[in-house]
Amino acid sequence: MNTCEFTRTLVAAGALLAASGAFAHVTLAEGSAAAGSDYVAAFRVGHACKDAKSTTGLTVRVPAGFTVQKAEPRDGWTLASSGSEISWKAASPASALPGEEKAQFIVRGKLVASPGPMWFKVLQTCDVGRVDWAEVPASGSSTAGLKTPAARLDVVALGVATVDVRDAWVRQSVPGQSGTGAFMKLTAPTGTRLVGISTPAAGVAEVHEMKMEGDTMKMRELAGGLELPAGQTVELKPGGNHVMMMDLKQALAKGSTVPMTLRFEDAKGRKTSLELTLPVGTPEGAEAAAPAAHQHKH
């Protein structure tokens, strides 16, 4: 697959829950990583199976292209590993994962050298029933419409940012309006800084901070870029840090989309970029609009 053809649909948390009925998906904490790199696959369990009170087991089927180096044990759980499967099982009901409690099951390994989507099929066993998170789309990488999707990892080419972007959207504007804001959640697997933004929809795009100075709220550019600490989600949101788009080329109507390029730099000075297509909406409709956003790998 050509990396320029590799598209990943961003899925808002609300849409994830709706798609899975009464229980949440098993997903990967970091949804993208560089081809040929070491990768920590942290499988997030957000809820027990439908009508169940606890998760009692998790089995990961290892996909081709991922070489397992180590599976992390969990206190009170037994760990079993073979070449193709890794499983954790609660040793007793007392050590099972309560239904509403979130947890991560971790496998360390190395990724294949070629980019493309990689699917981890995961069987979740509960005190009542089980869910096999194993559905893979017939084409592309969108899990929209799948009831029990497998956990997806986007393996990207070197030079492409591995920053995970979620719930991204742009506030709509009206004719004559010169500026608007863009918002998103960013998670970087390693310490990274967002150092630049560009979009053909605006003459200037910058990360701005909102800060109280005395009794006055002031907005200014983060001249040094936005720090993204390793593994921490940094949110750009209305009323806080955000992307400020100025000198708009035209009004941005609700339901339209805006292309945007984010540029990053890590602690070693390595530069990467990520191209996005963000939906235009309002704060009330942002959650519904966000699943329409895409990331394009180049």
Side-chain angles (χ1 to χ4, degrees):
M1 176 183 294
N2 186 297
T3 54
C4 289
E5 297 173 351
F6 179 30
T7 302
R8 177 156 66 99
T9 300
L10 296 176
V11 185
L16 285 172
L17 291 172
S20 62
F23 44 93
H25 292 36
V26 173
T27 59
L28 286 164
E30 298 295 341
S32 62
S37 68
D38 292 330
Y39 176 66
V40 180
F43 296 92
R44 299 187 297 192
V45 178
H47 203 291
C49 311
K50 185 178 180 181
D51 299 326
K53 294 182 179 180
S54 63
T55 295
T56 58
L58 204 75
T59 299
V60 175
R61 277 99 85 191
V62 180
F66 182 73
T67 302
V68 175
Q69 296 171 336
K70 181 182 180 182
E72 299 288 349
R74 290 180 57 87
D75 291 341
W77 292 62
T78 58
L79 173 63
S81 179
S82 67
S84 59
E85 287 190 352
I86 297 169
S87 62
W88 295 263
K89 184 176 180 181
S92 68
S95 60
L97 182 65
E100 299 296 335
E101 185 175 319
K102 296 175 174 58
Q104 293 186 347
F105 295 75
I106 296 174
V107 181
R108 300 178 184 274
K110 191 174 184 64
L111 292 171
V112 67
S114 58
M118 181 178 290
W119 302 92
F120 290 81
K121 298 179 179 181
V122 183
L123 177 64
Q124 180 184 12
T125 306
C126 300
D127 59 318
V128 176
R130 59 176 57 188
V131 182
D132 195 6
W133 302 103
E135 286 186 278
V136 174
S139 61
S141 58
S142 173
T143 57
L146 301 182
K147 292 184 177 179
T148 56
R152 184 185 66 232
L153 173 67
D154 294 341
V155 181
V156 301
L158 291 175
V160 176
T162 58
V163 177
D164 189 49
V165 183
R166 305 195 181 199
D167 301 349
W169 63 286
V170 174
R171 191 192 299 273
Q172 73 176 86
S173 66
V174 298
Q177 185 176 333
S178 62
T180 190
F183 315 97
M184 62 194 74
K185 296 174 183 176
L186 304 166
T187 308
T190 58
T192 304
R193 185 182 296 272
L194 174 61
V195 295
I197 305 166
S198 60
T199 172
V204 178
E206 302 170 340
V207 176
H208 282 204
E209 66 173 346
M210 301 283 287
K211 192 173 183 179
M212 289 294 297
E213 292 188 0
D215 297 328
T216 305
M217 176 69 77
K218 292 190 176 182
M219 181 175 68
R220 62 169 60 91
E221 179 189 5
L222 285 173
L226 178 68
E227 193 71 32
L228 302 176
Q232 297 183 28
T233 298
V234 176
E235 185 174 5
L236 300 177
K237 60 184 179 180
N241 291 349
H242 60 282
V243 174
M244 188 66 200
M245 298 169 56
M246 297 172 283
D247 186 20
L248 293 178
K249 303 307 179 184
Q250 62 183 36
L252 303 178
K254 184 177 180 180
S256 62
T257 59
V258 173
M260 183 174 290
T261 300
L262 306 183
R263 295 186 296 277
F264 303 93
E265 185 173 330
D266 67 14
K268 296 182 179 179
R270 286 189 294 251
K271 295 178 172 60
T272 57
S273 63
L274 189 63
E275 294 191 7
L276 309 173
T277 302
L278 279 61
V280 177
T282 61
E284 295 76 17
E287 184 174 291
H294 293 76
Q295 293 186 17
H296 302 282
K297 310 297 185 180
H298 290 265

